[in-house]
Every structure is written in C-alpha cells, then in structure tokens.
Amino acid sequence: MDDLLTQIPITVDEILDYQRHEQPIMSRSIDSASFEGLDLSGLMAVDCHFTNCDFTSADLSGAQFAQCDLRNSRFTDAKLDGLVLAATDLSNTNFEDATVVGLQVADSNVRDAVFRNAGLADTVFAKCDLTNVDFSRCVASRLGSLESDIGHTSFSAAELENFFVTKADLRSVDLTGAHVNIAMFSDADLSGKILSGQTWQHCTFNKAKFEGTDLSEAKIDGSVFNDCSFQGANLKDVSAETTCFTKSTLDGVDLSGSNLNMANFANASLAGANLSGSQLFSAVFLEADCRAVLFERCDMKQAEMSHANLCGANMSAAHFFNTKMHGIKNEESVVLGTTGNTIDTDGERLVAELYRPNMEMLSD
C-alpha cells in the first residue's frame, strides 16, 4: 500500500452520502471516526484509509473494501453479511462478538486481528496473513483458510464445523479445548500437539503428521487418516468408530482401551502397537502389518484380518466370532484363552489370489 495515491480527507456525513447514492468512495481518508450503529450496507471503498475507526454495531452487509487501510479499527458486534475485503490491511482490527455471514477476505493482512466470540458462517480467508489472529471461542460453520499463513493463531475453545484448511501447519496454533466436526486439512502437521479429550470427528487428513501428538481419550469417530504418520503418538482410550487409518504408520502406538469398532486399518503399519482391551467389532486389518501387536482381551468379532501379518502378535483372551483369518501369517503368535470361532484360510481362494496370468508361461 506504499504506492497509494495521496488521500483526500472525508467526513462521516460525506461517506453516508456516497453510500445512499450507491457511489464508490475513491482515495479518501478518515481517521478515528465513529460509525457506531450506522447503516453502511452496500458501502464501496477503493484505495481508502479508515484507520482507528469505530464500526461497533454498524451494518456493513454487502459492503466492499479494496486496497484499503482498516488498521486498528473496531467491528465489535457489527453485522457483516456478505462483506468483501480484498488487498486490505486489517491488522489489529477487532471483530469480537461480530456476526459474520459470507465474509470473503482475499490477499489481505489480518495479523493480530481479534474474532473472539464471533459467529462465523460461510467465511473464507484466501492467501491472507492470519498470524496471531484470535479466533478463540468463536462458533464457525463453513470457515475456510486457503493458502493462508495461520502461525500462532488461536482457536482455543472454538466450535468449528465444516472447517477446511490448506497449508495447514498447525504446530504453533492454539487448539486448546477446540471442537472440530467435519473438516478437511491439506498438508497438515499437528506433531507434538496436545489434543487429549478433544473432538475431531468426521475430519479428513491425507499424508498428515501426528508425530508425538497426544490424542488420548479424543473423539475422532468417522474421520479419515490416509497415509498419515503417528510415530510416537498417544491414542489410548480414543473413540474412533468407523475411522479410517489406511496406509498409516502406527508402529508402537498405544491404542489400548479404545473404541475401534468398524475402524479401517487396511495396509497400515501397526508393528508393536498396543490395542489391548479395545473394541474391534468388524474392524478391518486387511494386509496390515500387525507384527507383535497386543490384541489381548480385544473384542474381535467379525473383524477382517485377511492377509495380515500377525507374527508374534498376542491375542490372549480375545473374543472371536466369524473373525476372518484368511491368508494370515501367524508364526509365534499367542492365542491363549481365546473364545469364539474364526474363518480360516480358504486354500482354493488363496491359490486364486496368488495366481497372476501375466506371470504364467503358457505351453504349446
């Protein structure tokens, strides 16, 4: 904004006159003015300065600000339905308790802004600097951060539904007490975060990092963790019903006492993991690496273990019922005190699965 034209001073009354006549305000400047409680709906401003202004309880529905300077302004309890902010400086602005529906912010500086206790719906920040922004205790539905820097941002005690984030390095983000339901994260890194007891249900993570993350007693039901790394993580007593961990690395992870009913661990690596006392009804371990896994006292009724590597696994006192053990590797596994029945290897099926026509040499 250093190349902005020289700003011409403007008064509140003149701004209201432009707004009433639906005319854009161009290259004007006003500082420390009060717009408290005013109807500014549909206001259009380009290349303007509104620094240190008070928009408390104002109606800015459908307003548009492009290449403007709104630093240190206050929007507390304002109505911001359909507000558009493009290439605008919003640093140190205060949106606390504001009602935000359809807010669109693009290519803007939002550093150190405050959205505490705000109601956010259908709101998108695209290519913005959201460093150190306070979203604590906000209630957000369909909130998105696209290619934005969210370092040191706070979502403490926030309620986030239909949340989507790209460029999601969340290691410095404050997520204390946050509840997340239905979310999508791209390039996510939550390594070392303490998320114990939190709710992260119906979330989608692809190739995300949870290395050293504490998810004990968390609720992650219905979520998808595809090709994710959980090295050194703690998932003890987690609720992960119908959760997908396909192709993920969970070697040595503590999953004991967890609800893993209908969870999917297909092609995952769980070598040395602890699942003792977990509920595994209809869980899927198809072709998973389960070497030396502790399945002690697990409910494994109707679990799909086909082609899993169970060498050295301990299934003592596990309960089976139609548990599918087709084509497993189970050398040195322990099955003392197990109850119920299993569906063991079908020889003809195994031969058929191993048959590769393209590898067979046909004779004359």
Side-chain angles (χ1 to χ4, degrees), residues 251-270:
D251 296 338
V253 170
D254 188 353
L255 284 149
S256 61
S258 297
N259 178 3
L260 302 170
N261 289 333
M262 295 178 283
N264 189 345
F265 293 91
N267 294 290
S269 181
L270 297 121

mmCIF file with all atom_site columns, all heavy atoms in Angstrom, residues 251-270:
data_model
loop_
_atom_site.group_PDB
_atom_site.id
_atom_site.type_symbol
_atom_site.label_atom_id
_atom_site.label_alt_id
_atom_site.label_comp_id
_atom_site.label_asym_id
_atom_site.label_entity_id
_atom_site.label_seq_id
_atom_site.pdbx_PDB_ins_code
_atom_site.Cartn_x
_atom_site.Cartn_y
_atom_site.Cartn_z
_atom_site.occupancy
_atom_site.B_iso_or_equiv
_atom_site.pdbx_formal_charge
_atom_site.auth_seq_id
_atom_site.auth_comp_id
_atom_site.auth_asym_id
_atom_site.auth_atom_id
_atom_site.pdbx_PDB_model_num
ATOM 1   N N   . ASP A 1 251 ? 3.213   -47.661 14.187 1.00 0.00 ? 251 ASP A N   1
ATOM 2   C CA  . ASP A 1 251 ? 4.125   -48.583 14.861 1.00 0.00 ? 251 ASP A CA  1
ATOM 3   C C   . ASP A 1 251 ? 4.359   -48.149 16.306 1.00 0.00 ? 251 ASP A C   1
ATOM 4   O O   . ASP A 1 251 ? 4.729   -46.997 16.575 1.00 0.00 ? 251 ASP A O   1
ATOM 5   C CB  . ASP A 1 251 ? 5.468   -48.632 14.129 1.00 0.00 ? 251 ASP A CB  1
ATOM 6   C CG  . ASP A 1 251 ? 5.348   -49.180 12.718 1.00 0.00 ? 251 ASP A CG  1
ATOM 7   O OD1 . ASP A 1 251 ? 4.360   -49.892 12.452 1.00 0.00 ? 251 ASP A OD1 1
ATOM 8   O OD2 . ASP A 1 251 ? 6.226   -48.892 11.893 1.00 0.00 ? 251 ASP A OD2 1
ATOM 9   N N   . GLY A 1 252 ? 4.136   -49.094 17.232 1.00 0.00 ? 252 GLY A N   1
ATOM 10  C CA  . GLY A 1 252 ? 4.390   -48.833 18.645 1.00 0.00 ? 252 GLY A CA  1
ATOM 11  C C   . GLY A 1 252 ? 3.407   -47.904 19.327 1.00 0.00 ? 252 GLY A C   1
ATOM 12  O O   . GLY A 1 252 ? 3.601   -47.550 20.499 1.00 0.00 ? 252 GLY A O   1
ATOM 13  N N   . VAL A 1 253 ? 2.340   -47.511 18.651 1.00 0.00 ? 253 VAL A N   1
ATOM 14  C CA  . VAL A 1 253 ? 1.385   -46.552 19.220 1.00 0.00 ? 253 VAL A CA  1
ATOM 15  C C   . VAL A 1 253 ? 0.477   -47.250 20.237 1.00 0.00 ? 253 VAL A C   1
ATOM 16  O O   . VAL A 1 253 ? 0.058   -48.397 20.045 1.00 0.00 ? 253 VAL A O   1
ATOM 17  C CB  . VAL A 1 253 ? 0.542   -45.907 18.095 1.00 0.00 ? 253 VAL A CB  1
ATOM 18  C CG1 . VAL A 1 253 ? -0.610  -45.096 18.667 1.00 0.00 ? 253 VAL A CG1 1
ATOM 19  C CG2 . VAL A 1 253 ? 1.431   -45.023 17.236 1.00 0.00 ? 253 VAL A CG2 1
ATOM 20  N N   . ASP A 1 254 ? 0.136   -46.541 21.310 1.00 0.00 ? 254 ASP A N   1
ATOM 21  C CA  . ASP A 1 254 ? -0.770  -47.060 22.335 1.00 0.00 ? 254 ASP A CA  1
ATOM 22  C C   . ASP A 1 254 ? -2.211  -46.730 21.940 1.00 0.00 ? 254 ASP A C   1
ATOM 23  O O   . ASP A 1 254 ? -2.626  -45.581 21.967 1.00 0.00 ? 254 ASP A O   1
ATOM 24  C CB  . ASP A 1 254 ? -0.443  -46.428 23.687 1.00 0.00 ? 254 ASP A CB  1
ATOM 25  C CG  . ASP A 1 254 ? -1.230  -47.069 24.831 1.00 0.00 ? 254 ASP A CG  1
ATOM 26  O OD1 . ASP A 1 254 ? -2.115  -47.909 24.567 1.00 0.00 ? 254 ASP A OD1 1
ATOM 27  O OD2 . ASP A 1 254 ? -0.973  -46.698 26.003 1.00 0.00 ? 254 ASP A OD2 1
ATOM 28  N N   . LEU A 1 255 ? -2.967  -47.776 21.549 1.00 0.00 ? 255 LEU A N   1
ATOM 29  C CA  . LEU A 1 255 ? -4.382  -47.663 21.215 1.00 0.00 ? 255 LEU A CA  1
ATOM 30  C C   . LEU A 1 255 ? -5.229  -48.461 22.192 1.00 0.00 ? 255 LEU A C   1
ATOM 31  O O   . LEU A 1 255 ? -6.386  -48.768 21.911 1.00 0.00 ? 255 LEU A O   1
ATOM 32  C CB  . LEU A 1 255 ? -4.632  -48.170 19.788 1.00 0.00 ? 255 LEU A CB  1
ATOM 33  C CG  . LEU A 1 255 ? -4.207  -47.256 18.625 1.00 0.00 ? 255 LEU A CG  1
ATOM 34  C CD1 . LEU A 1 255 ? -3.805  -48.079 17.419 1.00 0.00 ? 255 LEU A CD1 1
ATOM 35  C CD2 . LEU A 1 255 ? -5.323  -46.303 18.262 1.00 0.00 ? 255 LEU A CD2 1
ATOM 36  N N   . SER A 1 256 ? -4.684  -48.774 23.335 1.00 0.00 ? 256 SER A N   1
ATOM 37  C CA  . SER A 1 256 ? -5.371  -49.652 24.284 1.00 0.00 ? 256 SER A CA  1
ATOM 38  C C   . SER A 1 256 ? -6.645  -48.999 24.810 1.00 0.00 ? 256 SER A C   1
ATOM 39  O O   . SER A 1 256 ? -6.751  -47.775 24.936 1.00 0.00 ? 256 SER A O   1
ATOM 40  C CB  . SER A 1 256 ? -4.445  -49.994 25.456 1.00 0.00 ? 256 SER A CB  1
ATOM 41  O OG  . SER A 1 256 ? -4.064  -48.828 26.164 1.00 0.00 ? 256 SER A OG  1
ATOM 42  N N   . GLY A 1 257 ? -7.627  -49.856 25.097 1.00 0.00 ? 257 GLY A N   1
ATOM 43  C CA  . GLY A 1 257 ? -8.884  -49.392 25.681 1.00 0.00 ? 257 GLY A CA  1
ATOM 44  C C   . GLY A 1 257 ? -9.729  -48.540 24.767 1.00 0.00 ? 257 GLY A C   1
ATOM 45  O O   . GLY A 1 257 ? -10.606 -47.808 25.228 1.00 0.00 ? 257 GLY A O   1
ATOM 46  N N   . SER A 1 258 ? -9.501  -48.630 23.467 1.00 0.00 ? 258 SER A N   1
ATOM 47  C CA  . SER A 1 258 ? -10.176 -47.741 22.519 1.00 0.00 ? 258 SER A CA  1
ATOM 48  C C   . SER A 1 258 ? -11.392 -48.382 21.866 1.00 0.00 ? 258 SER A C   1
ATOM 49  O O   . SER A 1 258 ? -11.509 -49.610 21.788 1.00 0.00 ? 258 SER A O   1
ATOM 50  C CB  . SER A 1 258 ? -9.190  -47.305 21.427 1.00 0.00 ? 258 SER A CB  1
ATOM 51  O OG  . SER A 1 258 ? -8.131  -46.559 21.975 1.00 0.00 ? 258 SER A OG  1
ATOM 52  N N   . ASN A 1 259 ? -12.305 -47.529 21.410 1.00 0.00 ? 259 ASN A N   1
ATOM 53  C CA  . ASN A 1 259 ? -13.435 -47.977 20.612 1.00 0.00 ? 259 ASN A CA  1
ATOM 54  C C   . ASN A 1 259 ? -13.036 -47.874 19.154 1.00 0.00 ? 259 ASN A C   1
ATOM 55  O O   . ASN A 1 259 ? -13.042 -46.789 18.565 1.00 0.00 ? 259 ASN A O   1
ATOM 56  C CB  . ASN A 1 259 ? -14.673 -47.111 20.893 1.00 0.00 ? 259 ASN A CB  1
ATOM 57  C CG  . ASN A 1 259 ? -15.861 -47.529 20.022 1.00 0.00 ? 259 ASN A CG  1
ATOM 58  O OD1 . ASN A 1 259 ? -15.784 -48.485 19.254 1.00 0.00 ? 259 ASN A OD1 1
ATOM 59  N ND2 . ASN A 1 259 ? -16.956 -46.787 20.128 1.00 0.00 ? 259 ASN A ND2 1
ATOM 60  N N   . LEU A 1 260 ? -12.675 -49.014 18.562 1.00 0.00 ? 260 LEU A N   1
ATOM 61  C CA  . LEU A 1 260 ? -12.239 -49.080 17.173 1.00 0.00 ? 260 LEU A CA  1
ATOM 62  C C   . LEU A 1 260 ? -13.196 -49.915 16.339 1.00 0.00 ? 260 LEU A C   1
ATOM 63  O O   . LEU A 1 260 ? -12.812 -50.491 15.320 1.00 0.00 ? 260 LEU A O   1
ATOM 64  C CB  . LEU A 1 260 ? -10.816 -49.647 17.103 1.00 0.00 ? 260 LEU A CB  1
ATOM 65  C CG  . LEU A 1 260 ? -9.752  -48.859 17.890 1.00 0.00 ? 260 LEU A CG  1
ATOM 66  C CD1 . LEU A 1 260 ? -8.447  -49.640 17.966 1.00 0.00 ? 260 LEU A CD1 1
ATOM 67  C CD2 . LEU A 1 260 ? -9.512  -47.502 17.248 1.00 0.00 ? 260 LEU A CD2 1
ATOM 68  N N   . ASN A 1 261 ? -14.443 -49.990 16.784 1.00 0.00 ? 261 ASN A N   1
ATOM 69  C CA  . ASN A 1 261 ? -15.434 -50.748 16.027 1.00 0.00 ? 261 ASN A CA  1
ATOM 70  C C   . ASN A 1 261 ? -15.542 -50.204 14.602 1.00 0.00 ? 261 ASN A C   1
ATOM 71  O O   . ASN A 1 261 ? -15.674 -48.997 14.383 1.00 0.00 ? 261 ASN A O   1
ATOM 72  C CB  . ASN A 1 261 ? -16.801 -50.662 16.703 1.00 0.00 ? 261 ASN A CB  1
ATOM 73  C CG  . ASN A 1 261 ? -16.858 -51.440 18.001 1.00 0.00 ? 261 ASN A CG  1
ATOM 74  O OD1 . ASN A 1 261 ? -16.127 -52.417 18.181 1.00 0.00 ? 261 ASN A OD1 1
ATOM 75  N ND2 . ASN A 1 261 ? -17.712 -51.009 18.925 1.00 0.00 ? 261 ASN A ND2 1
ATOM 76  N N   . MET A 1 262 ? -15.458 -51.102 13.642 1.00 0.00 ? 262 MET A N   1
ATOM 77  C CA  . MET A 1 262 ? -15.585 -50.788 12.213 1.00 0.00 ? 262 MET A CA  1
ATOM 78  C C   . MET A 1 262 ? -14.509 -49.827 11.720 1.00 0.00 ? 262 MET A C   1
ATOM 79  O O   . MET A 1 262 ? -14.654 -49.199 10.680 1.00 0.00 ? 262 MET A O   1
ATOM 80  C CB  . MET A 1 262 ? -16.978 -50.248 11.882 1.00 0.00 ? 262 MET A CB  1
ATOM 81  C CG  . MET A 1 262 ? -18.078 -51.282 12.087 1.00 0.00 ? 262 MET A CG  1
ATOM 82  S SD  . MET A 1 262 ? -19.737 -50.643 11.763 1.00 0.00 ? 262 MET A SD  1
ATOM 83  C CE  . MET A 1 262 ? -20.013 -49.707 13.276 1.00 0.00 ? 262 MET A CE  1
ATOM 84  N N   . ALA A 1 263 ? -13.416 -49.692 12.475 1.00 0.00 ? 263 ALA A N   1
ATOM 85  C CA  . ALA A 1 263 ? -12.288 -48.887 12.009 1.00 0.00 ? 263 ALA A CA  1
ATOM 86  C C   . ALA A 1 263 ? -11.560 -49.646 10.899 1.00 0.00 ? 263 ALA A C   1
ATOM 87  O O   . ALA A 1 263 ? -11.602 -50.878 10.826 1.00 0.00 ? 263 ALA A O   1
ATOM 88  C CB  . ALA A 1 263 ? -11.333 -48.584 13.153 1.00 0.00 ? 263 ALA A CB  1
ATOM 89  N N   . ASN A 1 264 ? -10.896 -48.885 10.034 1.00 0.00 ? 264 ASN A N   1
ATOM 90  C CA  . ASN A 1 264 ? -10.234 -49.489 8.875  1.00 0.00 ? 264 ASN A CA  1
ATOM 91  C C   . ASN A 1 264 ? -8.729  -49.239 8.947  1.00 0.00 ? 264 ASN A C   1
ATOM 92  O O   . ASN A 1 264 ? -8.277  -48.091 8.847  1.00 0.00 ? 264 ASN A O   1
ATOM 93  C CB  . ASN A 1 264 ? -10.814 -48.888 7.587  1.00 0.00 ? 264 ASN A CB  1
ATOM 94  C CG  . ASN A 1 264 ? -10.341 -49.622 6.336  1.00 0.00 ? 264 ASN A CG  1
ATOM 95  O OD1 . ASN A 1 264 ? -9.380  -50.383 6.377  1.00 0.00 ? 264 ASN A OD1 1
ATOM 96  N ND2 . ASN A 1 264 ? -11.017 -49.390 5.226  1.00 0.00 ? 264 ASN A ND2 1
ATOM 97  N N   . PHE A 1 265 ? -7.960  -50.332 9.122  1.00 0.00 ? 265 PHE A N   1
ATOM 98  C CA  . PHE A 1 265 ? -6.503  -50.255 9.179  1.00 0.00 ? 265 PHE A CA  1
ATOM 99  C C   . PHE A 1 265 ? -5.885  -50.958 7.971  1.00 0.00 ? 265 PHE A C   1
ATOM 100 O O   . PHE A 1 265 ? -4.741  -51.422 8.040  1.00 0.00 ? 265 PHE A O   1
ATOM 101 C CB  . PHE A 1 265 ? -5.989  -50.910 10.455 1.00 0.00 ? 265 PHE A CB  1
ATOM 102 C CG  . PHE A 1 265 ? -6.356  -50.194 11.731 1.00 0.00 ? 265 PHE A CG  1
ATOM 103 C CD1 . PHE A 1 265 ? -7.518  -50.520 12.413 1.00 0.00 ? 265 PHE A CD1 1
ATOM 104 C CD2 . PHE A 1 265 ? -5.535  -49.189 12.237 1.00 0.00 ? 265 PHE A CD2 1
ATOM 105 C CE1 . PHE A 1 265 ? -7.865  -49.861 13.592 1.00 0.00 ? 265 PHE A CE1 1
ATOM 106 C CE2 . PHE A 1 265 ? -5.868  -48.538 13.417 1.00 0.00 ? 265 PHE A CE2 1
ATOM 107 C CZ  . PHE A 1 265 ? -7.035  -48.862 14.094 1.00 0.00 ? 265 PHE A CZ  1
ATOM 108 N N   . ALA A 1 266 ? -6.589  -51.036 6.858  1.00 0.00 ? 266 ALA A N   1
ATOM 109 C CA  . ALA A 1 266 ? -6.082  -51.747 5.682  1.00 0.00 ? 266 ALA A CA  1
ATOM 110 C C   . ALA A 1 266 ? -4.740  -51.168 5.245  1.00 0.00 ? 266 ALA A C   1
ATOM 111 O O   . ALA A 1 266 ? -4.573  -49.951 5.127  1.00 0.00 ? 266 ALA A O   1
ATOM 112 C CB  . ALA A 1 266 ? -7.091  -51.656 4.544  1.00 0.00 ? 266 ALA A CB  1
ATOM 113 N N   . ASN A 1 267 ? -3.765  -52.048 5.045  1.00 0.00 ? 267 ASN A N   1
ATOM 114 C CA  . ASN A 1 267 ? -2.427  -51.681 4.586  1.00 0.00 ? 267 ASN A CA  1
ATOM 115 C C   . ASN A 1 267 ? -1.700  -50.742 5.538  1.00 0.00 ? 267 ASN A C   1
ATOM 116 O O   . ASN A 1 267 ? -0.734  -50.078 5.159  1.00 0.00 ? 267 ASN A O   1
ATOM 117 C CB  . ASN A 1 267 ? -2.482  -51.058 3.185  1.00 0.00 ? 267 ASN A CB  1
ATOM 118 C CG  . ASN A 1 267 ? -2.921  -52.045 2.127  1.00 0.00 ? 267 ASN A CG  1
ATOM 119 O OD1 . ASN A 1 267 ? -2.185  -52.967 1.791  1.00 0.00 ? 267 ASN A OD1 1
ATOM 120 N ND2 . ASN A 1 267 ? -4.123  -51.863 1.609  1.00 0.00 ? 267 ASN A ND2 1
ATOM 121 N N   . ALA A 1 268 ? -2.165  -50.658 6.776  1.00 0.00 ? 268 ALA A N   1
ATOM 122 C CA  . ALA A 1 268 ? -1.484  -49.820 7.768  1.00 0.00 ? 268 ALA A CA  1
ATOM 123 C C   . ALA A 1 268 ? -0.350  -50.599 8.416  1.00 0.00 ? 268 ALA A C   1
ATOM 124 O O   . ALA A 1 268 ? -0.307  -51.832 8.390  1.00 0.00 ? 268 ALA A O   1
ATOM 125 C CB  . ALA A 1 268 ? -2.469  -49.346 8.826  1.00 0.00 ? 268 ALA A CB  1
ATOM 126 N N   . SER A 1 269 ? 0.579   -49.865 9.024  1.00 0.00 ? 269 SER A N   1
ATOM 127 C CA  . SER A 1 269 ? 1.684   -50.484 9.752  1.00 0.00 ? 269 SER A CA  1
ATOM 128 C C   . SER A 1 269 ? 1.484   -50.242 11.240 1.00 0.00 ? 269 SER A C   1
ATOM 129 O O   . SER A 1 269 ? 1.498   -49.096 11.700 1.00 0.00 ? 269 SER A O   1
ATOM 130 C CB  . SER A 1 269 ? 3.023   -49.889 9.294  1.00 0.00 ? 269 SER A CB  1
ATOM 131 O OG  . SER A 1 269 ? 4.095   -50.503 9.981  1.00 0.00 ? 269 SER A OG  1
ATOM 132 N N   . LEU A 1 270 ? 1.265   -51.352 12.004 1.00 0.00 ? 270 LEU A N   1
ATOM 133 C CA  . LEU A 1 270 ? 0.994   -51.273 13.430 1.00 0.00 ? 270 LEU A CA  1
ATOM 134 C C   . LEU A 1 270 ? 1.989   -52.092 14.245 1.00 0.00 ? 270 LEU A C   1
ATOM 135 O O   . LEU A 1 270 ? 1.701   -52.462 15.382 1.00 0.00 ? 270 LEU A O   1
ATOM 136 C CB  . LEU A 1 270 ? -0.426  -51.769 13.725 1.00 0.00 ? 270 LEU A CB  1
ATOM 137 C CG  . LEU A 1 270 ? -1.581  -50.971 13.121 1.00 0.00 ? 270 LEU A CG  1
ATOM 138 C CD1 . LEU A 1 270 ? -2.426  -51.849 12.220 1.00 0.00 ? 270 LEU A CD1 1
ATOM 139 C CD2 . LEU A 1 270 ? -2.442  -50.376 14.219 1.00 0.00 ? 270 LEU A CD2 1
#
